[in-house]
Amino acid sequence: MIGWNALVLLAASSVAFAAPPPTPAPVPTPAQVMAIPPEIRAQLQERVIKVANSPEQRLHLLVELVFRPEGLGLEYDTEATLTVAETWQQRRANCLSFTLLFVALAREIGLEARMQEVGQVVSWYQDQGLIFNAGHVNVGMRVDGRQATLDLDSNVLYDRRGPQPINDSRALAHFYNNRGAEQLAAHDYASARAYFDAALRMDPRFVPAWSNLGVLESRENDLDASARDLETALSINRFHAPALHNATKLYQRMGDTRRVAQMQSRLEQVRKRDPFYQFMQGTTAERDGNYVLAAHYYREAVRLYGNAHQFHFGLARAYFLSGDNRLAMREMKRARDLGGDPMRAVYQSKLDGIRRLEARHAAR
């Protein structure tokens, strides 16, 4: 008995010296995410509601309050997935935080505002071994019978469907999923799980959260649970590229060659039809100095989505860098004609530069 007690005490002593697992920070409730602090309400009352009655004037004043330095002076930060109160306090936001803030404030002053979702945008990035599909949200407004879209990122390229209205629950699913992905990248798996679970309570069919939960289960070596999560994601959207990518990696790890081949085949189908994937492949080839390959991918992007001036500009660059000024000018003209007022002067200046270079070559 003495020996047994000593063994138990020794075991307990060794456990006492081990660092306890971190306690996950509490997940904010939907009400806490959207809550407008009293000081913001006071500013809205003084600087918007008392000053203007018409919806258009109130919208204009709200935009000034959010963006001007004497107001919030909001700055863009891709990593700032914040509640409404945190965004106001920290004066920074990503597209999601801005959308939550602006919709909440617009509704507070009596405007008709909604969240909007873009299925895909041109921005993809890789961080710590995780592939993030940078989906996008923005603000939809209805003012005096007219529709308007407000976007924090003026350079984002939408997919062909453009912004689609979503309900608040789905917007909050985006919030919780973003927070979960941040915790996953930081290896805080308990917090990541809590956020992914919250995202799925908001929207049980939110594919990105199922896909990210599958990655989490894989990192925790529960491969069967990971497979179930990823199959759930793909049962909702069988062509969701990040879920297909994650499923391919999982089945490779499990040694399931049949499933690997299925996932890779489906992922290849998706990529062949995805102008954004083709465009990003083009930018990679361009960075590597392979301008012929870059032009190939940019042509595919243009073939799939011919109205995107950014794709024509990429193709013009690839032609110019490979020495084909004639084709470079052709694509630069198309970029100019599609770019609209904000980009027309930029592209015209680049086009004039190529023409001057061609003229110097012709004069030799």
Side-chain angles (χ1 to χ4, degrees):
M1 290 291 293
I2 292 174
W4 178 253
N5 285 336
L7 181 63
V8 171
L9 288 171
L10 180 61
S13 177
S14 66
V15 169
F17 282 103
T23 302
V27 175
T29 66
Q32 289 170 332
V33 173
M34 298 298 294
I36 303 174
E39 62 270 21
I40 303 179
R41 282 200 165 92
Q43 287 208 41
L44 289 174
Q45 187 69 32
E46 290 300 318
R47 300 179 62 171
V48 180
I49 296 173
K50 287 184 177 180
V51 177
N53 290 321
S54 78
E56 188 169 347
Q57 289 175 324
R58 286 190 174 185
L59 175 58
H60 177 74
L61 291 171
L62 180 58
V63 169
E64 288 189 341
L65 177 62
V66 169
F67 287 107
R68 287 202 169 179
E70 61 269 23
L72 176 59
L74 192 67
E75 294 185 357
Y76 186 48
D77 183 342
T78 57
E79 297 182 358
T81 301
L82 305 172
T83 68
V84 169
E86 289 168 342
T87 298
W88 189 269
Q89 292 160 1
Q90 299 184 30
R91 300 174 180 267
R92 61 193 182 99
N94 60 15
C95 66
L96 176 59
S97 302
F98 163 73
T99 298
L100 297 176
L101 170 79
F102 202 92
V103 167
L105 301 189
R107 290 173 178 173
E108 182 71 14
I109 61 174
L111 300 181
E112 187 178 340
R114 65 177 183 270
M115 325 277 190
Q116 298 183 148
E117 177 184 79
V118 184
Q120 264 188 315
V121 294
V122 75
S123 179
W124 291 62
Y125 64 95
Q126 184 169 344
D127 182 32
Q128 299 196 22
L130 300 175
I131 302 297
F132 292 92
N133 177 4
H136 192 68
V137 295
N138 57 28
V139 180
M141 301 288 303
R142 184 177 176 84
V143 179
D144 293 334
R146 293 174 294 169
Q147 303 286 346
T149 292
L150 282 76
D151 203 309
L152 186 59
D153 187 353
S154 60
N155 296 317
V156 70
L157 174 61
Y158 303 153
D159 64 21
R160 282 165 292 195
R161 294 179 68 236
Q164 301 294 311
I166 58 173
N167 59 31
D168 289 5
S169 292
R170 188 168 178 86
L172 287 164
H174 277 283
F175 174 86
Y176 291 124
N177 182 62
N178 276 19
R179 283 274 181 100
E182 291 167 3
Q183 299 304 316
L184 181 60
H187 304 284
D188 184 350
Y189 298 151
S191 294
R193 183 181 297 278
Y195 276 110
F196 293 145
D197 288 345
L200 292 170
R201 284 195 297 273
M202 290 293 99
D203 185 350
R205 294 179 60 81
F206 192 66
V207 174
W210 283 114
S211 179
N212 286 336
L213 188 58
V215 174
L216 170 61
E217 302 283 15
S218 176
R219 287 194 170 188
E220 292 187 324
N221 295 314
D222 192 342
L223 303 190
D224 290 337
S226 178
R228 287 194 297 272
D229 294 333
L230 290 168
E231 288 299 332
T232 299
L234 292 170
S235 71
I236 299 168
N237 180 358
R238 67 190 305 267
F239 294 115
H240 187 259
L244 287 169
H245 172 87
N246 293 332
T248 299
K249 296 298 183 184
L250 173 68
Y251 291 130
Q252 285 173 341
R253 184 177 172 189
M254 297 174 75
D256 190 336
T257 55
R258 182 182 64 86
R259 290 282 186 88
V260 169
Q262 287 178 344
M263 297 299 108
Q264 286 181 330
S265 175
R266 207 186 304 173
L267 184 56
E268 189 58 30
Q269 292 179 49
V270 172
R271 287 173 170 173
K272 284 181 178 178
R273 298 197 303 260
D274 183 359
F276 294 160
Y277 176 80
Q278 300 296 324
F279 178 74
M280 295 307 293
Q281 291 296 102
T283 61
T284 299
E286 185 180 337
R287 281 198 305 268
D288 293 342
N290 191 339
Y291 305 126
V292 173
L293 183 60
H296 163 76
Y297 282 118
Y298 288 141
R299 281 194 299 270
E300 281 300 293
V302 166
R303 182 181 66 83
L304 293 164
Y305 191 177
N307 293 330
H309 64 87
Q310 296 92 334
F311 295 170
H312 289 279
F313 179 48
L315 185 52
R317 283 197 316 270
Y319 283 143
F320 176 76
L321 292 168
S322 61
D324 194 332
N325 290 341
R326 182 182 62 83
L327 289 180
M329 284 191 289
R330 184 192 71 185
E331 293 304 319
M332 197 67 75
K333 288 176 185 177
R334 290 175 179 171
R336 178 199 61 192
D337 295 342
L338 290 167
D341 291 337
M343 295 302 299
R344 186 173 289 112
V346 174
Y347 291 143
Q348 184 62 52
S349 174
K350 294 181 182 300
L351 180 59
D352 292 341
I354 300 174
R355 284 173 172 160
R356 286 193 297 270
L357 186 61
E358 275 290 277
R360 284 199 296 270
H361 287 168
R364 289 177 182 173

